[in-house]
Amino acid sequence: MSELKRVRVRYAPSPTGFVHIGNLRTALYNYLFARHNGGDFILRIEDTDRTRYFPEAVENIINTLKWAGIDYDEGPVKGGLHAPYYQSERLKIYKEHTDFLIKEEKAYYCFCTAERLNMLRREQKNQKLPQTKYDKYCLNLPAREVSKKLNDGIPYVIRLNVEPEKSIRFNDYIRGEVEFSGNTIDDQILIKSDRYPTYHLANVVDDYLMGITHVIRGEEWLPSTPKHVLLYEAFGWKKPIFAHLPLLLNPDRTKLSKRQGDVTVEDYIKKGYLKEALINFIALLGWTAGDDRELYDLNELIDVFTLERVNKSGAIFDIEKLNWLNAEHLRKKSDSELIKSLRNELNKSKYSKLQLSDEYLKKVTDSMKERVSFIKEFYEKGFYFFEEPVTYEETAVRKGWKGKQSEEILKKFKEKINQLENPSRQDYETVLNDTAAELNTGKGNIIHPLRLALTGVSGGPGIIDIMFIIGKEQTIRRIDSITEKLR
Ligand code: GLU
């Protein structure tokens, strides 16, 4: 960046629901950009649309950022030089700013009723006008009449006086030169009849007052930007740099939506995705470092992230990639992190009552690490480390259980195990080899029925590992159990 000014960026969500994946990306890109450039990252709550207010949303925003490790410098709870960071607490500021615009004749009071506006819209539609727009009727009200209406308490809104026909151009950091024809821009409302500002006014005023240098947000806000540009001009303020991030798309290139899958961060947390994986995945939704590398942690992203490498075209949400990243990040975790995460999950599962040592969980994670993509899978796929099998997979029985023959083999094997004291991994291996030699049979004839007995299923970690983990007593118990059940 050639900017000399300290970089200041913001994430400015409206608290209307749980944080959407797209919003987390906006927050992340702003955060990465701020950290990469040694700037500030601000959280601002844009809660001026009282009709869409969702009470749990703010808490969800703050918790989601915390969960993801996206730390803001100024904002709710933390405060900062530009507090308050809730727009609903800044109404006085917006009023002062519209008072100024009215004085400068750049904005005006509008008393038109909903009926009149509806009629106007209908008429314009009938005339087949490409765009329905307010007709500036109230712009021409005599000052005396305006004062009288205000004194009489007639409901009003405040509108920006937009010069018709003026086309608006600005440079978007990602999209380049963007132009909007002035014909398409209405005399937008700045203050609504409930005295709250609209998004446009509050957003521009706050970005300016909070010293925001770069506005990084989703492409869905691009059509609002000309309105913002007009507001900057009306106030006589220098515009920030705009950077609009590409849309998020389903694999069929339709806009990412609830109908096609999960869209809130909450959904992914509940499904057991690791924050490292989700952050890594979201970083790649519209950005690459320009090479083939895909695996990053947050600090590595801070090092390499630049806006120059954000794409213009829509980013496809590929769940397979997220799953792959989850597995990769899971394997990157240290033993103690893995054990901690597994214990957390176990505590929420049907195995919550089991008393398991860290040593036991380490053996489980060591043996399963290469076979799982999610923490939960340690006990979903490896359930036999936490309970005895109650049923035996049918195909595995057909393949691995040879009736009397298997019974005899396991009996022999069990006798040998029984003689061991505190067996090591090597002991199990030796017993397995000795049994095969004594009975003059292939090791497969032991391993298959043994695996069935110990796990009830056909795949999984090496059988020696399984015995070593569940231990001698369980090994014997499970052999006894299968011979009874499959007899
Ligand atoms: N309040 C808007 C939102 O909900 C902010 C858009 C912007 O960043 O300007 O995303």
Side-chain angles (χ1 to χ4, degrees):
M1 297 273 105
S2 57
E3 288 285 299
L4 291 174
K5 236 167 127 184
R6 182 180 176 84
V7 161
R8 284 177 60 83
V9 290
R10 73 338 184 244
Y11 168 48
S14 299
T16 54
F18 288 113
V19 178
H20 187 281
I21 286 287
N23 281 140
L24 186 64
R25 183 191 58 176
T26 301
L28 177 66
Y29 282 21
N30 275 285
Y31 169 80
L32 295 177
F33 184 72
R35 293 290 172 267
H36 182 89
N37 292 292
D40 304 320
F41 174 54
I42 293 137
L43 172 64
R44 183 175 74 223
I45 306 296
E46 301 210 323
D47 55 351
T48 58
D49 187 349
R50 305 315 283 176
T51 59
R52 293 177 63 214
Y53 187 73
F54 175 69
E56 289 157 69
V58 173
E59 206 186 333
N60 183 249
I61 290 165
I62 293 174
N63 289 341
T64 304
L65 293 181
K66 203 167 179 187
W67 173 82
I70 300 176
D71 191 23
Y72 56 88
D73 304 304
E74 299 169 29
V77 189
K78 273 200 177 157
L81 265 185
H82 300 276
Y85 293 91
Y86 289 87
Q87 288 188 326
S88 59
E89 294 171 15
R90 301 171 63 82
L91 300 189
K92 212 173 132 241
I93 299 175
Y94 309 126
K95 179 167 184 321
E96 283 162 14
H97 282 82
T98 42
D99 284 350
F100 167 81
L101 290 181
I102 288 176
K103 205 170 95 241
E104 297 282 305
E105 295 184 354
K106 288 184 171 147
Y108 60 94
Y109 292 101
C110 170
F111 302 93
C112 288
T113 59
E115 290 76 41
R116 177 168 191 276
L117 295 174
N118 283 337
M119 213 173 63
L120 191 64
R121 222 168 285 138
R122 262 199 312 273
E123 267 172 27
Q124 295 182 351
K125 276 213 168 111
N126 287 344
Q127 290 167 26
K128 302 254 179 311
L129 295 180
Q131 187 101 24
T132 59
K133 275 165 72 176
Y134 181 61
D135 62 355
K136 291 184 183 281
Y137 176 79
C138 290
L139 176 64
N140 303 315
L141 290 180
R144 240 180 315 114
E145 202 177 326
V146 172
S147 306
K148 180 164 184 332
K149 282 187 190 297
L150 290 176
N151 279 338
D152 290 351
I154 310 276
Y156 66 83
V157 299
I158 296 176
R159 290 180 184 271
L160 186 71
N161 182 15
V162 176
E163 219 179 287
E165 315 296 329
K166 182 176 166 192
S167 73
I168 291 138
R169 248 188 252 156
F170 58 90
N171 205 45
D172 186 276
Y173 206 87
I174 294 163
R175 322 190 62 83
E177 177 100 340
V178 185
E179 186 171 353
F180 284 85
S181 134
N183 281 331
T184 57
I185 298 168
D186 204 358
D187 276 6
Q188 52 177 304
I189 295 177
L190 304 178
I191 299 281
K192 297 174 281 188
S193 54
D194 64 1
R195 305 284 157 92
Y196 276 84
T198 52
Y199 152 68
H200 307 295
L201 176 77
N203 189 269
V204 164
V205 167
D206 286 345
D207 279 348
Y208 176 75
L209 294 180
M210 294 181 180
I212 300 303
T213 54
H214 298 73
V215 168
I216 306 170
R217 62 185 169 202
E219 192 182 306
E220 62 275 24
W221 301 102
L222 191 62
S224 298
T225 310
K227 298 183 181 176
H228 300 177
V229 170
L230 286 173
L231 271 167
Y232 281 101
E233 286 175 3
F235 282 117
W237 292 338
K238 184 172 177 289
K239 297 190 290 289
I241 292 172
F242 293 105
H244 287 92
L245 309 174
L247 288 178
L248 299 187
L249 306 174
N250 293 305
D252 65 2
R253 301 202 72 84
T254 54
K255 202 174 154 204
L256 188 69
S257 71
K258 246 194 213 132
R259 256 169 295 128
Q260 301 232 6
D262 295 321
V263 289
T264 71
V265 179
E266 206 61 20
D267 293 330
Y268 291 89
I269 298 177
K270 280 207 189 102
K271 288 202 162 153
Y273 284 94
L274 300 171
K275 67 171 184 195
E276 293 84 353
L278 199 64
I279 287 292
N280 189 162
F281 175 69
I282 283 175
L284 299 175
L285 285 175
W287 169 90
T288 54
D291 51 24
D292 291 340
R293 177 162 176 202
E294 296 202 290
L295 205 59
Y296 293 95
D297 68 23
L298 194 58
N299 285 328
E300 292 165 337
L301 286 169
I302 291 173
D303 284 345
V304 290
F305 184 84
T306 62
L307 281 181
E308 280 82 358
R309 301 219 61 95
V310 175
N311 300 320
K312 269 197 229 137
S313 53
I316 299 205
F317 191 97
D318 173 5
I319 192 83
E320 294 301 322
K321 185 161 170 183
L322 173 57
N323 292 343
W324 171 77
L325 283 170
N326 210 68
E328 292 295 317
H329 280 281
L330 188 148
R331 283 192 266 285
K332 276 176 71 180
K333 279 189 178 288
S334 68
D335 288 341
S336 62
E337 281 176 321
L338 265 188
I339 291 168
K340 197 170 147 216
S341 308
L342 175 56
R343 200 178 281 290
N344 268 343
E345 289 296 325
L346 280 168
N347 284 341
K348 290 184 259 165
S349 77
K350 63 173 172 174
Y351 303 119
S352 62
K353 296 260 151 35
L354 296 182
Q355 304 271 338
L356 301 163
S357 66
D358 279 2
E359 193 196 355
Y360 188 81
L361 294 184
K362 175 168 165 18
K363 285 186 197 158
V364 173
T365 51
D366 277 350
S367 75
M368 293 290 290
K369 213 154 68 174
E370 297 301 321
R371 299 164 192 278
V372 300
S373 302
F374 293 89
I375 299 287
K376 274 185 190 158
E377 288 178 347
F378 279 118
Y379 61 82
E380 285 173 356
K381 286 189 172 172
F383 63 91
Y384 39 84
F385 292 122
F386 304 94
E387 62 179 320
E388 294 173 28
V390 249
T391 53
Y392 303 99
E393 205 179 76
E394 227 181 278
T395 46
V397 173
R398 241 182 289 129
K399 249 179 41 202
W401 190 255
K402 296 189 180 145
K404 203 84 202 136
Q405 184 200 338
S406 299
E407 236 179 73
E408 290 299 321
I409 291 175
L410 287 191
K411 192 169 158 220
K412 185 93 200 159
F413 181 75
K414 184 184 91 174
E415 280 165 14
K416 288 187 174 297
I417 295 280
N418 216 356
Q419 285 160 19
L420 298 172
E421 227 171 86
N422 235 336
S424 66
R425 201 183 242 105
Q426 184 57 50
D427 292 335
Y428 287 109
E429 181 129 39
T430 312
V431 169
L432 186 69
N433 291 334
D434 289 355
T435 315
E438 256 172 60
L439 296 176
N440 196 16
T441 183
K443 270 204 276 184
N445 285 332
I446 310 173
I447 290 174
H448 297 310
L450 185 57
R451 180 180 289 285
L452 197 62
L454 303 186
T455 71
V457 292
S458 53
I463 196 69
I464 306 290
D465 276 339
I466 295 178
M467 286 188 283
F468 180 62
I469 295 170
I470 64 173
K472 169 178 158 181
E473 224 172 280
Q474 272 292 324
T475 302
I476 293 174
R477 256 178 84 103
R478 293 182 190 191
I479 291 175
D480 287 343
S481 209
I482 197 169
T483 28
E484 259 163 50
K485 283 188 190 151
L486 290 186
R487 187 164 279 155

